[in-house]
């Protein structure tokens, strides 16, 4: 692995006291939560430790975040957002929940595309909104696609007020094309819905794929859209608590401004995010190269050890969506992998009923640990390998 990423040595990883490393006992290898095992980028460590060295942990000021994000977007996403429209938020889900609460009627329907990031379901529920499913279409090769007809039908329901799109998509790893996004925009425009786009995985579009930021489209629908992104996935700093919200209109920007107190990011998070976006691109490139290698390595390992598992390499990020239905482990193979193999992956059903019999694993680690993860999964399903 690139020296910038460290070695992912297990004894050092077990010193970490995060959710990933505290949820299960030490004999379990965790690969469930979307965290990376790589060392942090040095500029992020410096920015945070310099702030601590002067003994300051006050309320956050947006500081250089707008310029840092706009510069990153221009270099890497071919998009030039206005830095003054970049709004610091504590994290993506808080931003989404706050905007949903602000702009949609209580009890109204919000459309999502399952299988999709589990908190989409329960955060919308906590906000008192009804989840309306427009499931992704599963193609013969096991990959997934947006289903414009399902989306059109869902948005046509009387009480539907908004659509929450995941782009790139977690867990299926798709990077939606410009044409697909324009189709989405046309459908939303026809239904005069509000669109929220979760682009948290955008910095991790892998070689061969190009993420298209929704607000970079030349479409009137951008006026009724909000985009949420973050350095937290790309640079592995979710614990620093800083995300980014950008509204496509002045009214949307005013709505975010008014809610500044509910959306206050963490000071260290802003500093870490600026350091990530502006000074840590070599680190990001090392991660992208490693993830590219890892997604291919996982294909080879599964073909050898668990050939009946369906896996399509993701186009972005580090999550593998595994069809384990042929393993004979029932509707929740993740529970069997944990019990019998001592490896923790996410239960597919957490991403919607479409995920029964599937599991999601995080492969942002060393090839050696990916080997160990697959060996443990294989040990849990010895009879049907
Ligand atoms: C699609 C998606 N949205 C949001 C989040 C959570 O982000 P945050 O911690 O900024 O709320 C994740 C985390 O994995 C995610 O995959």
């Amino acid at each position: 692995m690139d020296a910038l990423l460290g070695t992912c040595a297990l004894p050092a990883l077990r010193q970490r006291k995060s959710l990933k490393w505290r949820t299960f006992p030490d004999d379990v290898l965790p690969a469930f939560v979307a965290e990376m095992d790589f060392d942090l980028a040095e500029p992020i460590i410096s920015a945070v430790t310099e702030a601590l060295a002067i003994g300051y942990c006050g309320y956050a000021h947006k500081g250089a975040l707008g310029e840092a994000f706009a510069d990153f977007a221009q270099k890497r996403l071919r998009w030039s957002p206005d830095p003054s429209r970049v709004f610091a938020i504590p994290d993506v889900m808080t931003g989404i929940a706050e905007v949903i609460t602000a702009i949609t009627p209580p009890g109204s329907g919000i459309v999502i595309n399952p299988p999709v990031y589990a908190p989409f379901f329960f955060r919308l529920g906590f906000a008192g909104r009804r989840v309306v499913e427009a499931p992704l279409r599963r193609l013969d090769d096991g990959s997934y696609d947006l289903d414009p007809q399902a989306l059109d039908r869902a948005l046509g329901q009387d009480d539907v007020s908004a659509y929450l799109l995941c782009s790139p998509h977690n867990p299926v790893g798709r990077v939606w094309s410009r044409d697909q996004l324009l189709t989405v925009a046309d459908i939303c425009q026809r239904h005069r819905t509000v669109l929220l786009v979760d682009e948290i995985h955008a910095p991790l579009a892998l070689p061969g794929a190009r993420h298209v930021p929704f607000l970079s489209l030349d479409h009137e629908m951008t006026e009724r859209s909000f985009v949420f992104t973050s350095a937290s996935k790309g640079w592995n700093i979710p614990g620093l608590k800083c995300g980014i919200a950008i509204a496509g209109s002045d009214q949307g920007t005013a709505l975010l401004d008014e809610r500044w107190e509910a959306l206050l990011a963490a000071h260290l998070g802003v500093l870490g995010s600026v350091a990530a976006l502006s000074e840590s691109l070599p680190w990001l490139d090392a991660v992208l190269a490693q993830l590219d290698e890892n997604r291919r390595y996982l294909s080879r390992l599964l073909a050898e050890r668990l050939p009946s598992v369906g896996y399509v390499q993701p186009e972005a990020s580090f999550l593998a969506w595994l069809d384990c239905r042929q393993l004979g482990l029932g509707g929740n193979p993740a529970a069997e992998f944990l019990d019998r193999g001592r490896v923790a992956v996410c239960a597919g059903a957490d991403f919607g009923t479409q995920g029964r019999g599937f599991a999601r694993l995080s492969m942002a680690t060393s090839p050696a640990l990916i080997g160990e993860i697959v060996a443990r999964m294989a040990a849990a399903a010895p009879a049907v390998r």
Side-chain angles (χ1 to χ4, degrees):
M1 293 205 307
D2 192 304
L4 289 174
L5 305 184
T7 58
C8 301
L10 207 44
L13 291 173
R14 292 211 185 273
Q15 306 283 316
R16 295 180 172 183
K17 295 181 172 62
S18 61
L19 180 75
K20 176 165 184 176
W21 297 97
R22 279 272 165 106
T23 300
F24 295 99
D26 271 3
D27 68 324
V28 171
L29 188 55
F32 64 108
V33 66
E35 258 189 54
M36 304 200 218
D37 289 347
F38 308 130
D39 287 355
L40 273 188
E42 197 52 47
I44 298 175
I45 299 175
S46 300
V48 172
T49 49
E50 276 164 26
L52 292 176
I54 60 164
Y56 194 64
C57 272
Y59 290 114
H61 185 278
K62 178 182 147 183
L65 187 65
E67 289 72 21
F69 180 72
D71 192 43
F72 172 76
Q74 191 173 32
K75 283 193 187 121
R76 294 299 175 103
L77 307 175
R78 302 188 208 180
W79 174 38
S80 305
D82 176 350
S84 72
R85 286 231 169 140
V86 173
F87 200 90
I89 57 176
D91 54 69
V92 161
M93 289 312 298
T94 300
I96 289 172
E98 192 65 25
V99 170
I100 291 276
T101 307
I103 58 174
T104 67
S108 63
I110 314 291
V111 175
I112 60 174
N113 305 120
V116 73
Y117 183 54
F120 280 17
F121 291 90
F122 57 79
R123 285 300 282 269
L124 295 177
F126 295 156
R129 298 327 187 245
R130 185 171 75 87
V131 167
V132 176
E133 298 193 5
L136 297 177
R137 230 158 27 104
R138 190 150 191 269
L139 309 181
D140 290 344
D141 66 358
S143 67
Y144 289 80
D145 212 345
L146 286 167
D147 182 343
Q149 271 107 35
L151 180 61
D152 195 35
R153 273 195 307 277
L155 289 177
Q157 291 187 24
D158 278 350
D159 70 338
V160 163
S161 56
Y163 171 34
L164 172 55
L165 169 69
C166 194
S167 171
H169 192 282
N170 169 11
V172 307
R174 284 298 314 272
V175 172
W176 309 121
S177 69
R178 177 176 298 275
D179 282 351
Q180 284 171 307
L181 293 172
L182 285 170
T183 301
V184 163
D186 285 344
I187 298 171
C188 290
Q189 181 69 18
R190 199 158 60 241
H191 291 283
R192 306 205 64 73
T193 190
V194 172
L195 176 62
L196 289 83
V197 191
D198 178 339
E199 298 189 354
I200 197 168
H201 292 279
L204 292 172
L206 295 171
R210 189 150 79 76
H211 169 75
V212 177
F214 191 84
L215 291 179
S216 73
L217 295 179
D218 183 13
H219 195 287
E220 52 193 335
M221 189 56 214
T222 56
E223 283 276 313
R224 278 208 312 287
S225 302
F226 291 82
V227 162
F228 302 86
T229 188
S230 181
S232 65
K233 290 295 132 196
W235 287 267
N236 202 32
I237 50 173
L240 290 181
K241 284 289 171 196
C242 176
I244 286 172
I246 306 180
S249 68
D250 292 343
Q251 295 99 303
T253 304
L255 183 143
L256 293 172
D257 273 337
E258 277 166 14
R259 284 161 180 77
W260 65 271
E261 185 273 339
L263 291 174
L264 208 48
H267 173 58
L268 296 180
V270 173
L271 299 178
S273 299
V274 171
L277 291 160
S278 54
E279 295 173 63
S280 308
L281 298 191
W283 186 92
L284 181 66
D285 288 337
V287 166
L288 294 173
Q290 188 62 52
L291 297 181
D292 186 27
E293 181 186 325
N294 288 2
R295 63 178 168 167
R296 285 183 272 122
Y297 183 49
L298 184 63
S299 288
R300 290 203 299 279
L301 280 176
L302 290 172
E304 275 166 29
R305 307 292 306 267
L306 289 166
S308 71
V309 168
Y311 161 64
V312 175
Q313 293 179 14
E315 296 171 324
S317 209
F318 49 83
L319 303 167
W321 181 240
L322 304 178
D323 180 355
C324 302
R325 289 174 298 175
Q326 302 306 316
L327 281 180
L329 292 176
N332 187 3
E336 304 301 324
F337 292 140
L338 180 61
D339 271 5
R340 303 214 287 251
R342 311 308 285 158
V343 58
V345 297
C346 289
D350 291 350
F351 301 79
T353 52
Q354 301 79 0
R356 255 181 75 79
F358 288 68
R360 191 198 77 175
L361 89 78
S362 167
M363 50 178 159
T365 190
S366 63
L369 284 184
I370 293 176
E372 179 64 23
I373 290 165
V374 174
R376 288 176 182 226
M377 288 169 61
V384 281
R385 255 185 297 164

